Amino acid sequence: MSWTSDWGRKIPNLLVGALAGIVGAIVTALAMAASRYWLGIMPPPESVPDRVAPLLDIDTFFDMFGTYGGYNGLKQFGIVSGLRGLLTAGIVVGVLYAIVIESRVSRRSTKWYFGVSRPAWLFLIGAVLTVWIAFVALLWPVLPGNYIGIPYSQARVLSIVALLTWFGLFAATVMLVYRATTQRAGPSAVEGEPEATVEEQPVADAVSRRGIVAAGAGAVLVWPVYRLIERMYDDATFTYDGRPYSGADIQPITPNNRFYTVTKNVVDPDVNRDRWRLEIRGAIDNDITLSFDDLQDFEQVDQESTLMCISNRIGAGLFSNAVWRGVRMRDVLMAAGVHDDAFELKLSGADAYVDTFGMDYATDENTLIVYEMNSEPLPRTHGYPVRVIVPGLFGEKNIKWVTRIEVVTEDEQGFYEQQGWGPNFVPPTRSDIFRPRTLGAGQRATFREAIPAGTTVDLRGRAFAADRGIRSVEVTTDDGETWSPATVYYPGTDLTWALWQFQWVPAQPGEYRVYSRAVDGNGDPQPSEARGIIPQGAQGYNIVTATVV
Ligand SMILES: Nc1nc2c(c(=O)[nH]1)N[C@H]1C(S)=C(S)[C@@H](COP(=O)(O)O)O[C@H]1N2
Ligand SMILES: [Mo]
């Protein structure tokens, strides 16, 4: 009976193929984790979800938050699916490899290196090249990401080489594990021997023994993979992504360790400042590449300005205020010589996050490239060593860990804009109440504690109008029947929030609806109509229900 028609003996080979694939996947996972950890290269379980996230529309994106447990749950789901996908792909390729190498054609064909047949070699080479090219094409926009801050143009090459190395390593492992496990003793393995002799080898025992060794080796490698992933997990953004600055003790300037944080990353960049470069490219006369020291050649400015996320609900804390130190974007652009057909800036971070803003903002004197926050080097989580601050636009546009600024001549879309956020990224004027302590947001907030009638309540809140400034704030305690001026005790500047205060003495027990309205520096009142955060940010009153007893 011919071997190839005997399924009873074929199945062990398929199992060996699957085993080789699993070991290949584990070895590859180890290589990927090590490259990510030490070289900052984004591996597919991270880069594929990152590439796909902007392609989802906002509703799907938020539905997935619901399904997987918020942004953090979704990020974990992405990584876990990636690892599962790697394992599945490993098994599929391993089994296909077994089918190819054990085929009649393969057994009859000449052997190439390592005594492995030509068809088997061609299968692996073809698979590696196909998958590599497909990944380079799919991941093209995120390939310049590098979490230790290797400059943008080098990072793309590095990522492409890494993909080939990982896939090549996978194929080599499959080949070697398969070969070691199935290698037959005696002359039958030698090229040119008649096939018949192969059938006579009692291979089953040897196969199972070597298979156990290979499985053991694979299992042992799971440990370092696990340890590396665990170390990165400790470093992950899960503990702080989405952290608001809220509470009854809000200060004019947010301390760095309480500044709100939003990041798309599972593990944020940890940029090496000496290696870091800022590349200015695109529709300019002179390409410029700035080191951290080079930045200091431009005039240094200090600027207090407030940053707010587009998904900050009314009354919620995804906004904060700091004093930033850096240089003006327009000074750097001046040195580069921007062409007349410039349309907007396309900015990229070390994490391959991309966003854009128009030349009006790019050349505004308030748009900065900053390296200090409240007199300290930028914290890692806020963009160390350098980020962009663009007052007047939502937080999304303030690129952290910035590595590249490209002047483009056509409209391009950023990470979140692709999902359908915007197109207007100018925050509407808003105000809210943070003291006494409140629960909930928007129109459904309440004071946590009941208020005794006749006592003086020290109402405090924030008001923010992007780069338009706050002219005044009024308060109502009777659901808009009457409005009284609040005292703005911290006016800030046109670029910051203002903090206000109002002494309220409720005379009678009952339920009250308390809220504020701000007027911006242009004299325009804050919009009264409620609007959700999708797609252009929330607006409306922060209506707090007070129970007076
Ligand atoms: N490189 C990079 N920049 C980024 C982001 C990011 O994920 N990566 N998130 C953006 C978003 S959505 C917001 S709201 C702000 C938050 O900045 P912060 O964490 O310093 O408050 O950074 C923006 N810049
Ligand atoms: Mo954001």
Side-chain angles (χ1 to χ4, degrees), residues 184-195:
R184 292 160 182 91
S188 59
V190 175
E191 191 181 332
E193 284 295 307
E195 206 185 328

Side-chain angles (χ1 to χ4, degrees), residues 260 262 309-311 395-396 416:
Y260 94 91
V262 174
C309 180
I310 197 168
S311 43
E396 329 338 281
Y416 291 107

Side-chain angles (χ1 to χ4, degrees), residues 52-59 61 71 264 310 343-347 353-358 393-397 399 408 410-426 534-536:
V52 173
L55 306 178
L56 304 171
D57 62 89
I58 309 173
D59 293 327
F61 193 60
Y71 206 169
K264 72 159 183 65
I310 197 168
F343 181 78
E344 62 183 3
L345 295 190
K346 179 182 175 191
L347 308 103
Y353 178 88
V354 171
D355 218 326
T356 62
F357 51 78
L393 295 175
F394 279 118
E396 329 338 281
K397 306 278 177 186
I399 309 286
V408 295
E410 262 158 50
D411 183 35
E412 299 209 31
Q413 300 207 324
F415 190 89
Y416 291 107
E417 194 179 2
Q418 283 183 55
Q419 293 185 334
W421 293 93
N424 183 353
F425 290 91
V426 175
I534 299 171
Q536 301 194 121

Side-chain angles (χ1 to χ4, degrees), residues 99-180:
I99 292 172
V100 171
I101 197 167
E102 303 296 351
S103 70
R104 207 176 264 277
V105 180
S106 164
R107 300 184 141 248
R108 291 205 176 120
S109 94
T110 40
K111 305 284 179 277
W112 279 4
Y113 300 100
F114 303 109
V116 171
S117 73
R118 188 173 60 172
W121 267 105
L122 291 178
F123 168 74
L124 285 182
I125 293 171
V128 166
L129 291 181
T130 308
V131 174
W132 179 54
I133 290 167
F135 270 73
V136 169
L138 167 77
L139 297 175
W140 188 254
V142 300
L143 295 176
N146 184 280
Y147 284 81
I148 61 170
I150 288 174
Y152 187 99
S153 25
Q154 297 166 25
R156 175 169 271 155
V157 177
L158 189 64
S159 300
I160 291 172
V161 172
L163 284 170
L164 184 60
T165 310
W166 293 326
F167 298 148
L169 184 66
F170 168 78
T173 308
V174 169
M175 173 188 283
L176 294 176
V177 169
Y178 192 90
R179 180 172 165 274

Side-chain angles (χ1 to χ4, degrees), residues 23 30 53 81 109 112 159 192 248 253 286 305 365 406 491 498:
V23 177
L30 179 59
S81 326
S109 94
W112 279 4
S159 300
I253 304 285
N286 324 301
S305 51
E365 64 169 347
E406 190 181 340

Side-chain angles (χ1 to χ4, degrees), residues 259-265 268-269 307-310 318 324 348-354 373 381-383 387 394-402 416:
F259 202 94
Y260 94 91
T261 319
V262 174
T263 169
K264 72 159 183 65
N265 300 306
D268 272 336
L307 199 64
M308 181 172 78
C309 180
I310 197 168
L318 291 180
W324 311 95
S348 310
D351 57 348
Y353 178 88
V354 171
M373 178 177 179
T381 50
H382 298 292
R387 82 176 298 171
F394 279 118
E396 329 338 281
K397 306 278 177 186
N398 295 250
I399 309 286
K400 303 191 265 192
W401 313 285
V402 64
Y416 291 107

